[in-house]
């Protein structure tokens, strides 16, 4: 069990400690070229020293880059070397970020960084799948997101976005198990396939487990059953047209994805969002977070057999749907954000409806807590299950409520504040247990904190003014101007036909999604379509740890721990 | 291709049929169409809207679909909710094949109906590439009422079809089961 | 004035907490071991049950007899608006087709006899099964020719039926105010906002008048006294 951690002391602003980075630079003379003028310190690194550099960055007490947030590839077909492997690193104790770019050609392999950060496993598989870049030292370098019958590498620039390959049953994925040594008694083992069409697998995951009696001794997970090619689609659509695609990443809290993407592009553009839109974005993000936590806890409880809570959790969701629908017209996939603000003005009764919601939601939470918190059945099923320590979780790349349940209080809204989060009084709940029970509890605590944030913002009152920037090169002009003035009509026409022209550059920006740090790494080449838009879904590292979490437990524990992680397939597989 | 609706002008007077058997068949029809047991093949956002339909606000159990069976052997409506991509396609086909006749398919949402806005390298452009669909429910995701409307349309379609189908079959002199299997075989397979 | 942001950023400063299994042993109390809190849970469910049984407001919307009261911004079935003479307002500028992320709008333009309205769509089709109901076409239209309605009852039996043509989409603009959805302008909201501003202004005005009356009463009292 667990208690709420005491509030951690505020540390002075450390920021990007350039001396420490300079120290590491000096250890690798001639192999690292710093790139100036970007949003984060960026180094262009030669692949030969990559593994040593990674070790140094992680172990050096001055830099302490203990988390690898993201690894993605970029294809520059007109350049030699053709590909870039881009690593985003984060130092949890210092709050510092670093980007490493490794230029390489197709025939040059990368060293695997699994010995340094365990989270690199799946990221490297995805790199291989999407770009064809080989990684030496990887235990299972196979396709991750696309199917086994797929040929070619999808995110390369010369790959036709609509070219499909048919998968036949004989080509389906064969599992790769890390069977423990010394187990000779083969007669007692059974391999069980769970999913992908299974009620507890939330639709699209495949778990293959080797069971010895009731205990799972080895397991393998297959994903890719909802790979919808978000990154390729974002290269073929204009900047604003990508927003409906972002909705469908984490579809349980779709507005947060809109905000994350729009913020990233706004950073590249340098456009300022009016206060009313910032206020509304914060409030609606918090409501979306509440919705997502409701679904997560509701589904986990259903998987464990506690069905009433599912009905109790879905009622607040319906009420929040009513609010979102009154703002933008859709319940689930809202597409309410636009680059520069919101798509339409807030309705006149927004504040009243939100206040009513603040009264409606807590009774349902209390009902569920009375049913579940002290319930011995639930505690027997979840306490101590799938426990992971904070340090290991950080090494696996975890962020979000699951990391905070393991004792590490990292929340993007507190560590790197954006919108109005640093102007309201709220706390980051942190629990020490690291098990499924704490992941459930922390979501309930976060719902309470979200309600607190919303209440304070509503008390402050809605700011007056426009809901989107007035820069005509970014946002559509208001309709009255468009119907009556020629100039506005021309801007409107150009924006629809050509799209926003975002100046060339690259940026990585993050928001706190319901599952953790939702990051967007966007590269623009100055045209109306993104050159590369990579979404760092927080579920991706969470699910890559799944095998390690369930080994040694029973099958029923595996089902409950999957629910506790809140894996949304849209975000996992983009 | 959906089940073909037979013409109203068909003569429904059957030779050899009695009042009792027609009433019994009507009873069977009524029971069938008021108790669709769905198999929710939910993959993405539409599955969340389906969960909303199940929950107390819309309550699809008012239409007999309370029992959500995750086993293809025990269900009769395959409700495909969410994007189906090429990796999932063999799984979907296998589930559909495992379902016992009579079975129907409701395709929920833009992605299942036609691929939606994912004209991409890994997304199937509509599940009717591999299985026959009876009702298409558009929307992204369709509201729960839209889905219930689709279920009601299926209900109406099913009862209308079965009466006419039985009439045509008995006049032709074949057994109903054989006629049904002929129809299933005659459904055009997508190329 | 909102409070100043707190100084400093990272919340967590090492060392990491030790592995949970060694520090948080699970020790349930006697009541929990005897499953007594489950009685509290039974009280909760029984309360809901009895409340629902004896005439409480049920949340269930009895569709199709009852319909949910969606807002007037709902993104439902599209409407092609018409001019007063009944012809379609659309001028086939292709902006909606360009803005659509799903590329589900198909237009073929033809020449309009009136030289002020140069073009009109001979064919205007929306593939409802591709449409993601994002409303980008409504945002893009410069003529307010395409809007969305409150209507979500759509189900088709085959693909051909789902490609909706101009005839099925055209409705006069004044078509049943209750059934309109996502549009560029909402006159009912503007009216509401003006009323809210007027009420707020009236309150301020009333307060000002009350102060003036008091001052007048005070000065006349001092004059009399």
């Amino acid at each position: 069990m667990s208690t709420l951690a005491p509030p951690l002391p505020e540390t002075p602003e450390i920021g990007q400690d350039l001396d420490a980075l300079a120290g590491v630079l000096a250890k690798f003379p001639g192999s690292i070229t710093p790139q100036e003028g970007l949003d984060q310190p960026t180094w262009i690194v030669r692949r030969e020293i990559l593994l040593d550099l990674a070790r140094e960055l992680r172990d050096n007490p001055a830099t302490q880059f203990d988390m690898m947030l993201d690894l993605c590839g970029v294809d520059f077909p007109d350049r030699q070397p053709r590909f870039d492997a881009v690593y985003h690193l984060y130092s949890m104790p210092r709050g510092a970020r670093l980007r490493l770019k490794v230029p390489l050609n197709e025939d040059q392999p990368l060293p695997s960084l699994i010995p340094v950060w365990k989270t690199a496993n799946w990221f490297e598989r995805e790199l291989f799948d999407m770009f064809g870049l080989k990684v030496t030292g990887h235990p299972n370098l196979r396709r991750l997101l696309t199917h086994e019958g797929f040929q070619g590498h999808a995110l390369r620039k010369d790959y036709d976005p609509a070219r499909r390959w048919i998968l036949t049953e004989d080509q389906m994925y064969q599992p790769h198990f890390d069977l423990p040594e010394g187990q000779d008694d083969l007669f007692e083992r059974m391999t069980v396939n769970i999913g992908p069409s299974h009620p507890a697998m939330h639709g699209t995951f495949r778990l293959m487990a080797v069971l010895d009696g009731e205990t799972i001794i080895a397991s393998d997970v297959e994903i890719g059953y909802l790979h919808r090619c978000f990154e390729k689609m974002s290269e073929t659509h204009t900047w604003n047209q990508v927003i409906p695609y972002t909705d469908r990443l984490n579809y349980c809290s779709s507005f947060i994805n809109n905000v994350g993407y729009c913020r990233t592009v706004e950073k590249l553009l340098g456009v300022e969002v009016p206060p009313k839109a910032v206020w509304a974005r914060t409030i609606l993000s918090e409501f979306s977070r509440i919705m997502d936590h409701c679904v997560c806890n509701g589904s986990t409880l259903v998987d464990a057999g506690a069905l009433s809570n599912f009905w109790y959790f879905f009622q607040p969701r319906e009420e929040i749907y009513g609010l979102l629908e009154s703002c933008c017209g859709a319940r689930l996939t809202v597409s309410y954000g636009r680059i520069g603000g919101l798509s339409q003005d807030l309705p006149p009764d927004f504040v009243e409806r939100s206040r009513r919601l603040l009264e409606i939601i807590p009774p349902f939470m209390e009902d569920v807590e009375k049913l579940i918190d002290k319930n011995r059945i639930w505690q027997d099923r979840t306490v101590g299950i799938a426990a992971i320590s904070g340090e290991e979780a950080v090494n696996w790349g975890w962020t979000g409520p699951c990391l905070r349940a393991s004792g590490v209080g990292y929340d993007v809204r507190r560590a790197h504040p954006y919108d109005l989060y640093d102007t309201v009084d709220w706390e980051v709940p942190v629990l020490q247990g690291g098990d499924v029970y704490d992941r459930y509890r922390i979501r309930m605590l976060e719902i309470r904190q979200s309600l607190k944030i919303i209440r304070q913002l509503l008390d402050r009152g809605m700011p007056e003014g426009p809901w989107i920037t007035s820069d005509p090169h970014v946002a559509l002009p208001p309709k009255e101007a468009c119907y009556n003035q020629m100039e506005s009509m021309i801007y409107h026409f150009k924006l629809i036909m050509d799209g926003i022209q975002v100046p060339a550059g690259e940026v990585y920006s993050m928001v706190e999604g319901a599952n953790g740090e939702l990051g967007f790494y966007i590269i623009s080449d100055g045209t109306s379509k993104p050159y590369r838009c990579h979404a760092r879904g927080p579920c991706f590292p969470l699910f890559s740890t799944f095998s390690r979490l369930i080994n040694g437990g029973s099958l029923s524990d595996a089902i409950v721990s999957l629910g506790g992680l809140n894996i949304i397939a849209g975000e996992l597989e983009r | 291709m959906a089940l073909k609706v037979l013409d109203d002008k068909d003569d429904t007077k059957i030779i050899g049929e009695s009042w009792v058997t027609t009433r019994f068949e009507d009873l069977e029809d009524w029971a069938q169409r008021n108790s669709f047991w769905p198999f929710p093949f939910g993959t993405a956002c539409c599955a969340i809207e389906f969960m909303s339909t199940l929950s107390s606000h819309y309550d699809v159990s008012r239409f007999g679909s309370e029992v959500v069976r995750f086993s293809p052997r025990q269900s009769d409506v395959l409700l495909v909710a969410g994007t189906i991509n090429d990796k999932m396609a063999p799984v979907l086909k296998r589930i559909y094949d495992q379902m016992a006749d009579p079975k129907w398919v409701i395709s929920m949402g833009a992605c299942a109906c036609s691929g939606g806005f994912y004209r991409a390298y890994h997304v199937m452009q509509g599940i009717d590439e591999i299985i026959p669909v009876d009702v298409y429910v558009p929307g992204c995701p369709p509201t729960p009422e839209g889905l219930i409307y689709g279920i009601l349309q299926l209900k109406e379609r099913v009862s209308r079809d079965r009466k006419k189908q039985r009439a045509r079959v008995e006049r032709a002199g074949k057994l109903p089961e054989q006629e049904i299997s002929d129809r299933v075989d005659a459904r055009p397979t997508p190329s | 004035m909102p409070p100043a942001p707190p100084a400093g950023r990272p919340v967590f400063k090492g060392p990491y907490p030790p592995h949970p299994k060694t520090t948080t042993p699970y020790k349930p109390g006697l009541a929990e071991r005897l499953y007594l809190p489950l009685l509290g849970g039974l009280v909760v469910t029984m309360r809901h049950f009895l409340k629902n049984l004896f005439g409480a407001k049920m949340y269930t919307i009895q569709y199709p007899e009852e319909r949910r009261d969606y807002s007037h911004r709902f993104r439902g079935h599209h409407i092609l608006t018409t001019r007063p003479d009944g012809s379609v307002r659309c001028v086939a500028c292709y902006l909606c087709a360009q803005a659509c992320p799903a590329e589900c709008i198909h237009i073929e333009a033809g020449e309009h006899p009136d030289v002020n309205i140069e073009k009109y769509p001979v064919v205007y089709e929306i593939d409802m099964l591709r449409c993601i109901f994002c409303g980008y076409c409504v945002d893009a239209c410069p003529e307010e020719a395409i809007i969305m309605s409150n209507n979500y009852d759509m189900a088709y039996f085959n693909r051909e039926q789902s490609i909706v043509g101009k005839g099925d989409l055209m409705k006069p603009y004044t078509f049943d105010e209750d059934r309109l959805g996502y549009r560029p302008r909402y006159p009912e909201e503007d009216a509401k906002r003006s009323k809210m501003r007027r009420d707020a202004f009236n309150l301020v005005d009333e307060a000002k008048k009350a102060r003036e009356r008091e001052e007048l009463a005070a000065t006349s009292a001092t004059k009399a006294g």
Side-chain angles (χ1 to χ4, degrees):
Chain A
M1 294 269 281
S2 53
T3 54
L4 210 58
L8 295 155
E10 295 283 4
T11 55
E13 175 83 57
I14 300 176
Q16 315 300 330
D17 190 348
L18 293 169
D19 290 335
L21 290 178
V24 174
L25 261 178
K27 289 193 183 157
F28 297 91
S31 308
I32 306 180
T33 321
Q35 194 176 349
E36 303 297 329
L38 293 178
D39 60 312
Q40 291 181 10
T42 305
W43 287 351
I44 301 179
V45 171
R46 289 189 44 222
R47 64 186 180 90
E48 288 85 7
I49 52 129
L50 182 63
L51 188 54
D52 296 323
L53 175 65
R55 280 215 181 87
E56 179 64 33
L57 285 168
R58 186 192 65 174
D59 298 331
N60 189 330
T63 52
Q64 282 180 290
F65 281 107
D66 46 8
M67 183 188 277
M68 184 178 106
L69 273 176
D70 189 32
L71 163 59
C72 64
V74 192
D75 183 15
F76 296 103
D78 304 326
R79 191 192 76 167
Q80 269 299 329
R82 183 177 167 182
F83 298 101
D84 255 356
V86 183
Y87 294 80
H88 284 90
L89 306 178
Y90 186 67
S91 166
M92 197 63 75
R94 295 169 48 230
R97 292 180 187 265
L98 179 65
R99 185 186 294 141
L100 300 177
K101 287 195 200 176
V102 184
L104 47 128
N105 272 320
E106 196 176 334
D107 48 354
Q108 295 170 323
L110 274 171
S112 171
L113 294 188
I114 297 177
V116 185
W117 298 293
K118 297 205 205 57
T119 187
N121 192 327
W122 274 19
F123 281 110
E124 286 164 0
R125 276 181 72 181
E126 189 194 334
L127 192 70
F128 168 69
D129 188 0
M130 294 286 127
F131 289 93
L133 301 176
K134 307 255 183 333
V135 178
T136 49
H138 195 286
N140 183 22
L141 192 69
R142 284 199 287 172
R143 287 188 181 277
L144 183 69
L145 297 177
T146 53
H147 58 76
E148 296 290 305
F150 199 89
Q151 290 168 36
H153 299 281
L155 282 177
R156 290 189 180 183
K157 290 288 174 184
D158 50 4
Y159 189 89
D160 177 16
R163 175 69 176 97
R164 289 169 52 200
W165 304 89
I166 304 297
L167 174 71
T168 50
E169 281 211 27
D170 54 327
Q171 287 171 309
M172 287 175 81
Y173 180 90
Q174 296 303 318
H176 160 96
F177 293 117
D178 283 322
L179 286 168
E181 301 288 334
Q183 296 246 355
D184 286 319
D185 197 353
L186 292 170
F187 291 101
E188 297 226 343
R189 280 197 215 147
M190 189 170 86
T191 310
V192 158
N193 178 69
I194 305 168
S197 171
H198 190 277
M201 287 291 121
H202 300 272
T204 54
F205 315 117
R206 184 171 169 214
L207 169 66
M208 294 147 281
V210 178
L211 299 174
D212 178 6
E214 267 277 342
T215 326
I216 298 178
I217 54 172
S219 59
D220 194 13
V221 159
E222 190 197 354
I223 64 170
Y225 289 96
L226 196 66
H227 177 56
R228 292 188 283 194
C229 333
F230 162 74
E231 299 181 359
K232 195 75 175 180
M233 290 287 103
S234 62
E235 290 173 18
T236 55
H237 286 78
T238 63
W239 293 95
N240 262 325
Q241 282 178 336
V242 176
I243 292 172
Y245 288 98
T246 60
D247 262 342
R248 286 137 179 98
L249 284 176
N250 182 343
Y251 37 79
C252 294
S253 54
S254 46
F255 188 68
I256 301 181
N257 310 319
N258 286 349
V259 170
Y261 173 76
C262 290
R263 283 182 50 80
T264 316
V265 183
E266 284 152 15
K267 253 194 193 163
L268 264 183
L269 276 171
V271 79
E272 199 181 313
V273 180
K276 188 178 199 181
V278 173
W279 181 88
R281 276 181 178 180
T282 318
I283 291 185
L284 290 174
S285 294
E286 290 309 303
F287 272 122
S288 303
R289 196 183 312 278
I290 294 174
M291 280 207 306
D292 198 314
H293 288 333
C294 281
V295 164
C296 169
N297 279 346
S299 317
T300 313
L301 287 163
V302 167
D303 288 345
L307 190 54
S308 324
N309 309 283
F310 182 76
W311 312 132
Y312 298 159
F313 271 128
F314 262 71
Q315 201 47 39
R317 263 186 83 86
E318 287 292 330
E319 309 291 342
I320 300 176
Y321 278 161
L323 175 71
L324 280 170
E325 195 267 318
S326 73
C327 292
C328 64
R331 293 153 47 100
L332 189 69
T333 48
V334 294
S335 303
Y336 192 30
R338 291 285 186 272
I339 296 167
L342 300 170
S343 71
Q344 286 195 330
D345 198 2
L346 295 171
D349 55 353
F350 181 76
V351 175
E352 298 161 34
R353 279 188 96 127
S354 311
R355 276 200 207 281
R356 219 171 53 230
L357 276 179
L358 290 180
E359 263 126 62
I360 292 176
I361 296 175
F364 290 103
M365 301 297 132
E366 281 155 22
D367 276 343
V368 173
E369 283 175 351
K370 280 200 203 105
L371 271 171
I372 294 295
D373 270 12
K374 299 234 177 307
N375 190 326
R376 183 181 156 179
I377 304 173
W378 179 243
Q379 289 174 352
D380 280 346
R381 280 211 71 174
T382 54
V383 173
I385 303 297
I388 192 168
S389 68
E391 187 171 5
E392 197 182 348
V394 168
N395 198 270
W396 276 103
W398 284 27
T399 50
C402 296
L403 182 65
R404 295 194 280 275
S406 297
V408 180
Y410 173 62
D411 188 324
V412 178
R413 297 172 289 170
R414 182 50 63 83
H416 307 274
Y418 59 97
D419 284 351
L420 297 173
Y421 289 108
D422 49 353
T423 61
V424 285
D425 174 34
W426 62 286
E427 284 155 26
V428 176
V430 179
L431 298 175
Q432 304 293 336
D435 52 16
V436 180
Y437 184 81
D438 278 348
R439 289 176 207 138
Y440 150 80
R441 274 298 297 150
I442 206 163
R443 291 195 167 95
M444 301 302 273
L445 292 171
E446 285 197 3
I447 291 178
R448 294 248 150 59
Q449 291 300 317
S450 293
L451 290 170
K452 196 171 168 190
I453 295 175
I454 295 170
R455 186 167 287 121
Q456 288 174 61
L457 287 174
L458 287 175
D459 288 339
R460 201 179 288 178
M462 180 158 75
E464 289 293 325
W467 59 92
I468 196 167
T469 178
S470 46
D471 185 349
H473 299 285
V474 171
L476 291 175
K479 283 297 175 188
E480 294 77 26
C482 181
Y483 297 150
N484 296 322
Q485 295 169 14
M486 189 42 112
E487 201 186 338
S488 301
M489 174 69 90
I490 293 178
Y491 280 129
H492 177 103
F493 203 84
K494 277 191 77 65
L495 271 174
I496 303 286
M497 280 301 188
D498 295 338
I500 303 175
Q501 308 291 323
V502 175
E506 61 187 87
V507 73
Y508 175 86
S509 172
M510 56 276 157
V511 291
E512 178 74 13
N515 288 332
E517 175 171 327
L518 172 66
F520 282 92
Y521 175 57
I522 294 187
I523 302 180
S524 163
D525 57 351
T527 60
S528 58
K529 300 191 174 154
Y531 186 79
R532 175 84 171 99
C533 171
H534 171 75
R536 188 250 176 212
C539 294
F540 195 72
L542 286 175
F543 201 48
S544 63
T545 325
F546 189 57
S547 284
R548 176 244 171 272
L549 285 178
I550 63 176
N551 285 349
S554 74
L555 205 48
S556 47
D557 293 340
I559 303 297
V560 169
S561 41
L562 177 63
L565 290 176
N566 195 21
I567 308 295
I568 308 283
E571 199 172 49
L572 175 71
E573 299 159 15
R574 284 154 267 132
Chain B
M1 269 287 258
L3 285 172
K4 192 154 109 44
V5 182
L6 298 173
D7 218 341
D8 261 323
K9 297 198 274 310
D10 280 339
D11 186 354
T12 53
K13 188 157 182 293
I14 310 303
I15 305 158
E17 210 175 55
S18 74
W19 182 87
V20 172
T21 52
T22 44
R23 290 309 105 202
F24 185 75
E25 279 157 3
D26 283 345
L27 178 68
E28 193 189 343
D29 266 347
W30 171 85
Q32 178 90 68
R33 70 174 182 265
N34 282 316
S35 66
F36 285 134
W37 284 11
F39 180 110
F41 199 93
T43 44
C45 350
C46 287
I48 308 291
E49 280 296 54
F50 179 69
M51 292 205 274
S52 281
T53 318
L54 278 179
S55 70
S56 42
H57 219 88
Y58 296 98
D59 207 6
V60 78
S61 67
R62 296 182 289 128
F63 302 98
S65 301
E66 165 89 45
V67 169
V68 170
R69 285 293 180 224
F70 285 95
S71 166
R73 307 284 186 199
Q74 297 173 10
S75 51
D76 45 11
V77 174
L78 179 62
L79 180 60
V80 184
T83 320
I84 302 295
N85 58 18
D86 291 323
K87 204 173 204 185
M88 192 58 125
V91 176
L92 176 65
K93 183 85 176 72
R94 196 189 261 202
I95 298 280
Y96 178 76
D97 289 340
Q98 285 176 344
M99 282 170 74
D101 266 329
K103 57 190 174 191
W104 298 276
V105 178
I106 297 182
S107 156
M108 177 185 176
C111 298
C113 293
S114 64
F117 62 160
Y118 291 109
R119 294 172 194 264
Y121 52 82
H122 205 239
V123 177
M124 220 161 61
Q125 304 293 296
I127 58 173
D128 47 11
E129 284 184 14
I130 50 171
I131 57 179
V133 175
D134 291 300
V135 178
Y136 296 88
V137 182
C140 195
T143 58
E145 286 111 333
L147 175 63
I148 294 178
Y149 182 77
I151 295 177
L152 292 175
Q153 293 290 89
L154 179 68
K155 206 161 129 171
E156 209 189 281
R157 159 60 73 85
V158 161
S159 70
R160 220 175 356 143
D161 271 357
R162 278 166 72 85
K163 279 203 176 63
K164 301 287 167 56
Q165 190 183 307
R166 212 175 291 118
R168 172 79 83 71
V169 157
E170 299 219 359
R171 252 177 301 126
K174 278 196 220 172
L175 290 171
E177 296 80 26
Q178 202 176 331
E179 172 68 22
I180 291 172
S181 62
D182 284 352
R183 285 182 152 262
V184 167
D185 292 334
R187 277 177 183 161
T189 49
S191 52
Chain C
M1 275 289 282
R9 290 296 158 82
V11 196
F12 175 74
K13 193 171 181 183
Y16 288 99
H19 195 279
K21 281 214 170 92
T22 59
T23 55
T24 56
Y26 167 42
K27 276 197 172 52
L30 181 65
E32 285 173 23
R33 269 185 304 190
L34 291 178
Y35 294 94
L36 290 180
L38 271 94
L39 295 174
L42 275 174
V43 165
V44 170
T45 44
M46 202 47 68
R47 178 169 39 91
H48 277 272
F49 174 63
L50 292 170
K51 205 166 67 163
N52 289 339
L53 197 56
F54 296 113
K57 176 184 97 90
M58 293 290 257
Y59 291 111
T60 312
I61 296 174
Q62 306 280 348
Y63 185 81
E65 290 83 25
E66 265 174 54
R67 293 170 65 96
R68 179 170 179 160
D69 190 20
Y70 282 119
S71 74
H72 52 264
R73 292 193 183 195
F74 185 74
R75 303 204 294 247
H77 193 66
H78 309 78
I79 297 179
L80 271 180
T81 57
T82 53
R83 299 173 201 277
D85 63 357
S87 66
V88 72
R89 200 183 278 254
C90 172
V91 292
C93 65
Y94 289 85
L95 280 179
C96 55
Q98 184 77 6
C100 177
E103 296 166 32
C104 65
I105 302 182
H106 173 68
I107 307 176
E108 278 169 33
E111 203 177 321
H112 198 274
D114 183 351
V115 88
N116 292 322
I117 312 163
E118 294 167 22
K119 297 190 292 177
Y120 79 105
V122 174
V123 169
Y124 191 106
E125 282 175 350
I126 299 183
D127 184 353
M128 282 300 175
L129 294 182
R130 280 266 177 208
C131 179
I132 58 165
F133 297 88
C134 58
Y136 274 42
C137 49
V138 176
D139 291 340
C141 182
E143 298 288 323
E144 216 159 312
I146 181 164
I147 58 174
M148 292 174 114
S149 72
N150 216 335
N151 189 12
Y152 44 73
D153 293 334
M154 294 173 274
Y156 305 108
F157 293 121
N158 51 40
R159 291 267 206 145
E160 290 79 32
Q161 261 183 358
S162 67
I163 301 190
V164 179
K166 202 169 66 166
D168 291 321
L169 286 171
M170 268 166 66
K171 298 252 171 14
Y173 200 110
T174 52
F175 155 72
D176 202 352
E177 289 285 327
D178 284 343
R179 304 303 304 278
L180 289 179
Y182 191 73
R183 280 160 287 155
R185 296 177 296 180
Y186 302 104
E188 59 269 42
E189 276 186 20
D190 292 337
K192 216 176 189 179
R193 278 200 199 90
S194 312
K195 183 172 181 305
M196 281 163 71
R197 263 186 240 119
R198 274 201 306 277
D199 288 346
F201 179 74
N202 284 344
L203 282 171
V204 168
D205 203 36
E206 290 296 314
K208 191 163 154 226
K209 285 202 178 105
R211 268 202 313 278
E212 280 171 3
R213 274 198 297 273
E214 274 173 34
E215 277 169 23
L216 202 58
T219 44
S220 59
T222 44
K223 268 199 193 144

